[in-house]
Structures are given as structure tokens and as C-alpha cells.
Amino acid sequence: MQKRLLDHINLPKDLRQLQPNDLPQLAKELREFIINIVATKEGHLGASLGVVELTLALHYVFNTPDDLLIWDVGHQAYGHKILTGRQDIFHTNRQEGGISGFPKRAESAYDTFGVGHSSTSISAALGMAIASQLKGEDKHHIAVIGDASIASGMAFEGLNHAGVTDTNLLVILNDNAIGIDPSVGALKQYLTNVKKGKEKQDNIFEALNFDYSGPIDGHDFKALISELERLKLVKGPKFLHVITTKGKGLKQAEDDQVKYHAPGKFNPGTGEVYAKSASRQQAPKFQDVFGHTIVELAVKNKNIVGITPAMPTGSSLKFMMEQIPERAFDVGIAEQHAVTLAAGMATQGLIPFCNIYSTFLQRAYDQVIHDVALQNLPVIFCLDRSGLVGEDGATHHGVFDLAYLRCIPNLIIFAPRHEVELRNIMFTAQLGLDHPIAIRYPRGRGRIIDWQQPFSEIKIGKAIQLKEGHYLAVLTIGSISSIVEDAIDSCTNNDHISHYDMRFVKPLDETLLHHMFKTYDHIITVEDGTIIGGFGSAILEFASKNNYATPIKTLGIPDRFIEHASIKQQHQSLKIDADSLSLLFSSIAPLGL
């Protein structure tokens, strides 16, 4: 019986003891290991399967961790983690208390740079290479970046700088024609032509002063190792173009690369994704409410356009791209461009819905301020994945948006508590606003089955009372109101608790706030954003400005990064789950008057 090689590989130094002809067997075992774990624990599958041979070749040829290897985004780094001392604990990937789903400096010396967002690897690797040069060190610096990520502005900035240095930098383009969704844009077409041998123009990477080689087969060990060994001897910035297949080794993942990017639980033998229980009808995902609603509105309003930076599936703008393709735009991994593109459209009377994950809008902060808010252009920002997002962890939580947006003049900020309110604020926004608006909503499903109700206009800056009480007022923003409702319902003294959905963080309903501060003995704010600078801060500022002395307690995300776990576990750890809130409310509200 053939011995299992992976059982004896704990670190890359063990890998380097093998003969080159052992590597195909090890690649097969590594793929099986990844498939078996992800099938039951979930995670990002296709990207890691696609770079198994490349991962093995890099650790085989280079002296990691002394030679520095940076993975862009990190979706493809599962094989890297397994080979670098984490095989025995890989089953804890993305679980509470377990290892991160992305490379993380605090986790391993082999994780040389923390990566959760795309297009950072070239700049980081160049920074390391310059540092090595200044310190007189002789080491290699390798950035592995995908064809979708390299089209981002930051990647081009890194290439532009690296090309005028003599640093020991190797950029490896993992070209599989897909990120999470298929790659788009002129660079994608250029790379397609290169692969087919049809590109007649000058090589763009050679024009940037890189020593270019490729394209080569990223699943051919002989070609990979030979070329990497050669490049070790080449001075200055180098660029290796590698062709891979995302999902390699699992037929279903190769055939449906979008679905198997992160497929959830599946049968490791057949690759079949397990169907969700159909025993009861489920409420929709917020992203699907957005996706269907924008189509419904755009059919009637010809000025509506949709924009997303490389997330048509994740944002559900794909529905508009299928039905009204001429007015729906995937601009690639280019958040800054997406925002300013929307601003340009708004100047000409179009109504742009710019859908960007909350955590990715951070990457376009200057454009939100300079290109949209400063000019008071009525761009409609739809911020998906706001609040805590669960297993993706600290790199992906959308908890900073309320704080970083609230300080920007001219910007309206709204958070719907459920699906119907998301529909209604989208309807309201496209009727015409005097300012830009940010609509933030969470990952996952809501609670309302019958959500496709007739549209109703929402009055800007108007909050609503959900429950009347006499002593304690609980103020919420967004979908966390449902948790607060459950908490209040379980309080034996809930007759003394009022609940208000403020809906707007900006402008605040000051008329209602004056009433609250004159009526209640205690006020608590609850949000799934940062306590510092967020919704609760806005209420504290209002109280200070108006000289109210009512005790106020602010609950939300504390001043630290929240690690990966389920959203329920994260809420529990922060004591903003229903049970913890119920105990708190009960301790403040009197048992009787």
C-alpha cells in the first residue's frame, strides 16, 4: 500500500526532503484533505484547489519563511496553511477559537502579511523587498495575485512603483479568469489573448520593466519548478504568468466555479452540495431583496443604474445584469472607481445604486467624501454585509460604516430593520433626494416571508416607536432591532420598557429624541456597529448638546477587532444577544411602579 506523504509533512522543510516525482501524489492528497475538511466545516474551496501545485512548488523551491510569500486576498491559502504547521488544527478553520480563514501574521511566521481584501500583495511584498535591500539581506519576496485582483488600482500602483526599483520581487499572476465571479474588463481580455497567443500588442508587464515569463501551466510541476528555480537567479522585479483552473480536482467545482467558491457543506465523495432543509418557507436574504427590488424599480424608472465592484452574485445585482444588462455594471475589484463612476452618472441625471460591501466601502472613503458628498450628488449607496458577518472574521465585518460615514456632511444614513423597509427606502431614494444616502443592511436572511409588499415612501429623518413603556427607552438601528424585540419580550417587567427604531442615524429624529429625554429615566442604545463614533455616540452628542442628564448606556462593538465565529457566538461574546440584553433590561427597568 502506498504510504500517505501528507502525514509526514508538518512544515515546508519536510516537503523539501521529497523527490520531485513525489509531488503529484502529495498534490492529490492535499486536495483530498482540503475537500474533506471544507465539505463538513465549510469555507473557501475552489481557489485553494486551483493552486495546490503552485503552493507546493513555491514552498519546495523557496526557503520559506525566510523567503517571504504573500498571498493576495487569502482565499487560496488553505494548502499553504496545511503545509505550514496547521494540518492538525485545520479542522478548526473559521470556527470560534480556531485558525483564521485568511493568512494572519499573529498565527504563523509563514503568514508574512495579513490579507482579507484583495490587491494588497504587490505593495506589501515590495515594501518587504525594499526593507530587505536597505538591511542588506539576501532573500526572495513573492506575491501571488489573481487576474481579478491585479486589475484593481492598488495592484497597478504597486506594479508601477516596483518597475522602477531593482528589488528582489517576484509577482506571480494566478490566472484562472475568475475571482468570486468571472473576471471583467480590458485587462481580462488582454490576458485571454495572451493565453491564446493572439495578443499582438507589447507585453504590458514588460513595458512596466518586469522580467516577464509565461504563461505556463500552473498544474505542471516540472514547468513550475524549473521556472521558479530560474527566476531565483534573475535580478530585479520579475513577473510569472501562471494558468490554473479554479476548483481543480473536483469536477463540480471546476464546472461551477462561482457556486464552489464557498459552497457550504457538500458530499466530499460526489461533490454534491447538500440542499437546505425545505421543511419550512424561509425569509429572503437581504441581498436578494435588494436584487429583486432594484429590478422592479428599474423597469419603471429608466434612469436607474446598478453598479457593483466585482460582487454581482454576492450583492444579487446579477438579477439586474440578467434582465437589464445595459444598465447594470460590474466594474471589477475597483471600489474607488465604482463610487466616482456613480458620481459621474449622477451629474447627468441618472440614479445610481452603488452596491458595495460595507467593509469594502472603506477602500473608497476619499471618493465618498470628495466625489459624492462634497458635491452633494444623490448617489444611493447600498452597503451589504453591514454589522458582524461571522466566520470570515475581522477582515470582513461591516462594523465601522456608521462611524466613518456619520461624520461626512450631506450624507443621509439609514438602516432598515427588515426586508420591507429595505424595499421602501430604495423606492424612496429613487423618487429623488437632495443628498446622497447610505443604506446599510446585514448579511443573511431577514424574518418576513411576505416581503414583496406595495411600496411606501419613508419620511427622511423619521423614527418610529415599536413598543411603548414608561421607564426605560431602548433605541436601535437596523436589523438588530429583532434581537432587542426578543429580549424585551422575555423580560417579566417589559411593561416598563419602550423600544424605538431610529432608522436614520443621520439626520436624527430630534423631535422624538427631545420627547424621550423628557420622558424616560434611562436610555440604552443598541447597534451592530462600533460604540466609538457610531449610533450611540450620536445620541450621546445630542444629549450633551441639549444639556440632558438622563443616564445613557451604549451597546455595540467595543474598541477591538472581533475574531471569527458564528454571528450568534459573536453576539453572545459581546453580550448583545437576546439573553444578555434581557438580563440587562430587567436589571434596569423596575419590577413595579
Side-chain angles (χ1 to χ4, degrees), residues 360-381:
F360 296 156
L361 187 66
Q362 297 162 188
R363 312 188 84 184
Y365 192 51
D366 178 59
Q367 286 68 33
V368 174
I369 296 172
H370 180 271
D371 298 339
V372 176
L374 183 61
Q375 303 184 85
N376 204 20
L377 295 170
V379 173
I380 303 164
F381 293 106

Side-chain angles (χ1 to χ4, degrees), residues 173-486:
L173 175 61
N174 172 32
D175 185 358
N176 57 20
I178 189 168
I180 294 176
D181 286 285
S183 302
V184 297
L187 184 61
K188 178 250 182 141
Q189 187 58 53
Y190 169 85
L191 294 173
T192 300
N193 291 343
V194 169
K195 283 183 279 189
K196 294 179 178 178
K198 296 180 179 180
E199 184 52 52
K200 304 303 182 185
Q201 301 179 42
D202 290 340
N203 184 291
I204 187 173
F205 304 109
E206 289 180 347
L208 291 169
N209 295 326
F210 278 78
D211 185 304
Y212 173 90
S213 58
I216 65 172
D217 183 351
H219 305 296
D220 182 337
F221 274 117
K222 184 176 180 180
L224 281 171
I225 291 173
S226 174
E227 188 57 21
L228 291 174
E229 291 285 7
R230 185 189 75 81
L231 289 169
K232 285 175 70 174
L233 305 176
V234 176
K235 302 298 183 183
K238 303 165 284 288
F239 192 100
L240 175 59
H241 187 172
V242 174
I243 309 300
T244 64
T245 299
K246 187 172 182 178
K248 179 75 171 178
L250 184 66
K251 186 178 186 304
Q252 290 84 348
E254 293 183 36
D255 292 343
D256 192 342
Q257 296 175 331
V258 173
K259 181 177 181 179
Y260 282 82
H261 173 74
K265 294 181 179 180
F266 63 95
N267 185 313
T270 66
E272 181 182 359
V273 176
Y274 294 126
K276 302 292 184 183
S277 174
S279 58
R280 63 182 178 86
Q281 189 176 4
Q282 289 184 300
K285 294 180 179 179
F286 276 90
Q287 69 182 63
D288 289 342
V289 173
F290 163 83
H292 290 298
T293 300
I294 193 173
V295 172
E296 189 176 345
L297 294 170
V299 167
K300 296 180 179 179
N301 188 336
K302 304 302 182 184
N303 287 324
I304 289 176
V305 291
I307 302 168
T308 184
M311 290 293 172
T313 299
S315 71
S316 292
L317 190 66
K318 64 180 181 180
F319 301 139
M320 187 177 183
M321 295 177 75
E322 291 165 357
Q323 297 179 56
I324 318 175
E326 69 277 10
R327 288 194 277 142
F329 303 90
D330 176 3
V331 301
I333 302 176
E335 294 86 1
Q336 292 173 302
H337 168 58
V339 172
T340 305
L341 177 73
M345 289 175 167
T347 68
Q348 301 305 302
L350 295 183
I351 303 171
F353 281 79
C354 187
N355 190 303
I356 302 181
Y357 287 9
S358 169
T359 188
F360 296 156
L361 187 66
Q362 297 162 188
R363 312 188 84 184
Y365 192 51
D366 178 59
Q367 286 68 33
V368 174
I369 296 172
H370 180 271
D371 298 339
V372 176
L374 183 61
Q375 303 184 85
N376 204 20
L377 295 170
V379 173
I380 303 164
F381 293 106
C382 294
L383 307 187
D384 200 339
R385 270 62 166 184
S386 288
L388 296 165
V389 298
E391 290 83 358
D392 280 343
T395 57
H396 282 62
H397 294 315
V399 297
F400 302 107
D401 51 7
L402 294 179
Y404 72 67
L405 292 175
R406 195 171 67 81
C407 59
I408 302 175
N410 291 336
L411 187 63
I412 300 168
I413 305 172
F414 180 90
R417 74 180 186 280
H418 53 52
E419 304 93 311
V420 176
E421 288 229 314
L422 174 55
R423 276 174 59 79
N424 286 338
I425 195 63
M426 291 175 67
F427 169 75
T428 302
Q430 58 89 43
L431 291 176
L433 295 175
D434 295 329
H435 305 286
I437 183 171
I439 305 166
R440 54 107 66 183
Y441 50 91
R443 179 183 188 179
R445 297 184 183 276
R447 291 190 173 193
I448 299 176
I449 302 296
D450 181 24
W451 60 275
Q452 287 184 299
Q453 300 176 17
F455 289 117
S456 176
E457 187 173 352
I458 291 175
K459 185 176 180 181
I460 301 299
K462 185 66 176 175
I464 57 174
Q465 185 175 38
L466 300 178
K467 182 187 175 301
E468 186 177 359
H470 309 287
Y471 183 84
L472 167 66
V474 182
L475 282 57
T476 58
I477 192 77
S479 62
I480 203 167
S481 70
S482 62
I483 295 176
V484 170
E485 287 176 14
D486 292 343

Side-chain angles (χ1 to χ4, degrees), residues 132-159:
S132 293
Q133 196 174 58
L134 291 173
K135 293 191 291 184
E137 297 172 340
D138 182 19
K139 58 175 63 176
H140 298 277
H141 312 84
I142 307 104
V144 182
I145 187 168
D147 56 285
S149 297
I150 204 169
S152 172
M154 185 175 176
F156 269 100
E157 292 169 21
L159 289 169

Side-chain angles (χ1 to χ4, degrees), residues 126-139 141 164-169 236-237:
L126 178 60
M128 295 172 184
I130 291 173
S132 293
Q133 196 174 58
L134 291 173
K135 293 191 291 184
E137 297 172 340
D138 182 19
K139 58 175 63 176
H141 312 84
V164 294
T165 72
D166 60 353
T167 54
N168 195 9
L169 172 70

Side-chain angles (χ1 to χ4, degrees), residues 36 39 203 275 360 425 505 509 511 518 550:
N36 287 329
N203 184 291
F360 296 156
I425 195 63
V505 176
D509 188 340
T511 300
K518 293 173 182 176
T550 308

